[in-house]
Amino acid sequence: MVVTPSSLSNLYRAYVACLNRRAWADLGRFVDERVEHNGRPLGLSGYRDMLVADTETIPDLRFEIALLVTEPPHVAARLAFACSPNGEFLGLRTDGRAIRFTENVFYRYREDRIATVWSILDKLAVERQLGPA
Amino acid sequence: MVVTPSSLSNLYRAYVACLNRRAWADLGRFVDERVEHNGRPLGLSGYRDMLVADTETIPDLRFEIALLVTEPPHVAARLAFACSPNGEFLGLRTDGRAIRFTENVFYRYREDRIATVWSILDKLAVERQLGPA
């Protein structure tokens, strides 16, 4: 497969659409069996478990691509979220309050699937919205 | 100027080398006069002040590029830091302790200078290293 920046961008957009549909059965079309996330070798099933748990804590979770930078085999995305996490999120008690935050995340693809993820969520932004503990 | 991914990557690497040399007088070669950082219109002088303050809090601050993804006019970088911030850093008391953390950061270039920066530092990683407050 010849991977161009635009074909890889399209593949990434299809992955995000899959997440937003909660189409967990399709996740293997986009994510490698041996995927690693922030240094943890989750594998596809562990990665799916992580995403399912995220959507249980945050039922209104929706991934919005604010910025996409593609240079095969890497994709870098700035994701924007406006959602209401139940209970605890990033070690903070959100208790269903509406918050906005971003994630800056890098992906390395192996062929046409995500093999490695390096993600950082903007915890400082969430803290500012929640105010003093 | 025709900007290719490799020329923009080289320009970004020269910017990082400038930071590591503390060559503040050269910063204007790499950063636009009207630069914005995380939504704040700092301008070149405000941006320089921010960097100078960072290196005063963290005298051993050194920017290391762990991953670089370039699609003009954007550069996305994962930066790795091993340093010892004095006093308070990210709202946490580090008091000179050695820590490691990463930054995932996006830049939009205007011509050959950085015009917009969207940065997220991995505060969760720093918290884990410092232990319970």
Side-chain angles (χ1 to χ4, degrees):
Chain A
M1 191 181 91
V2 176
V3 180
T4 64
S6 74
S7 69
L8 197 57
S9 296
N10 287 339
L11 196 56
Y12 180 72
R13 290 182 197 282
Y15 160 73
V16 168
C18 172
L19 301 186
N20 284 333
R21 283 198 314 274
R22 315 287 194 251
W24 308 126
D26 297 342
L27 199 64
R29 288 166 48 195
F30 304 105
V31 177
D32 191 275
E33 281 289 345
R34 291 168 292 165
V35 65
E36 296 195 9
H37 183 276
N38 284 354
R40 295 173 301 158
L42 296 183
L44 176 59
S45 65
Y47 194 79
R48 185 188 290 122
D49 291 347
M50 175 185 74
L51 288 166
V52 169
D54 287 347
T55 56
E56 282 169 358
T57 301
I58 316 174
D60 61 352
L61 184 65
R62 189 170 191 289
F63 295 76
E64 186 193 328
I65 300 170
L67 184 59
L68 193 59
V69 181
T70 301
E71 186 183 19
H74 292 105
V75 169
R78 180 164 169 88
L79 303 175
F81 300 93
C83 58
S84 313
N86 293 321
E88 198 169 288
F89 177 65
L90 300 176
L92 303 167
R93 289 213 66 83
T94 44
D95 289 330
R97 285 179 56 180
I99 55 173
R100 290 174 178 273
F101 62 96
T102 51
E103 172 181 2
N104 285 1
V105 54
F106 290 82
Y107 305 84
R108 182 181 176 88
Y109 276 75
R110 183 181 295 131
E111 303 287 330
D112 55 354
R113 286 177 169 79
I114 293 167
T116 316
V117 185
W118 298 272
S119 155
I120 306 180
L121 298 166
D122 192 353
K123 177 169 179 171
L124 275 172
V126 177
E127 287 173 339
R128 278 192 294 265
Q129 289 165 73
L130 294 177
Chain B
M1 190 180 93
V2 177
V3 180
T4 64
S6 74
S7 70
L8 197 57
S9 296
N10 287 339
L11 196 56
Y12 180 72
R13 290 182 196 281
Y15 160 72
V16 168
C18 172
L19 301 186
N20 284 333
R21 283 198 314 274
R22 316 287 194 250
W24 308 127
D26 296 342
L27 199 64
R29 288 165 48 195
F30 304 105
V31 177
D32 192 274
E33 282 288 345
R34 293 167 292 164
V35 65
E36 297 196 7
H37 183 277
N38 284 353
R40 295 172 302 157
L42 296 183
L44 176 58
S45 65
Y47 194 79
R48 185 189 290 120
D49 291 347
M50 176 187 72
L51 288 165
V52 169
D54 287 346
T55 56
E56 283 169 358
T57 301
I58 316 175
D60 61 353
L61 184 66
R62 190 171 191 288
F63 295 76
E64 186 193 328
I65 300 171
L67 183 61
L68 193 58
V69 181
T70 302
E71 185 182 21
H74 292 105
V75 168
R78 180 164 170 86
L79 303 175
F81 300 93
C83 58
S84 314
N86 294 320
E88 197 168 291
F89 177 63
L90 301 176
L92 303 167
R93 289 213 67 83
T94 44
D95 289 330
R97 285 180 55 181
I99 55 172
R100 289 175 179 272
F101 62 95
T102 52
E103 172 181 3
N104 285 0
V105 53
F106 290 82
Y107 305 84
R108 182 182 175 87
Y109 277 74
R110 183 182 296 132
E111 302 288 330
D112 55 355
R113 286 178 169 79
I114 293 167
T116 316
V117 184
W118 298 272
S119 156
I120 306 181
L121 298 166
D122 193 354
K123 177 169 181 171
L124 274 172
V126 178
E127 287 174 340
R128 277 193 295 266
Q129 288 166 75
L130 295 176

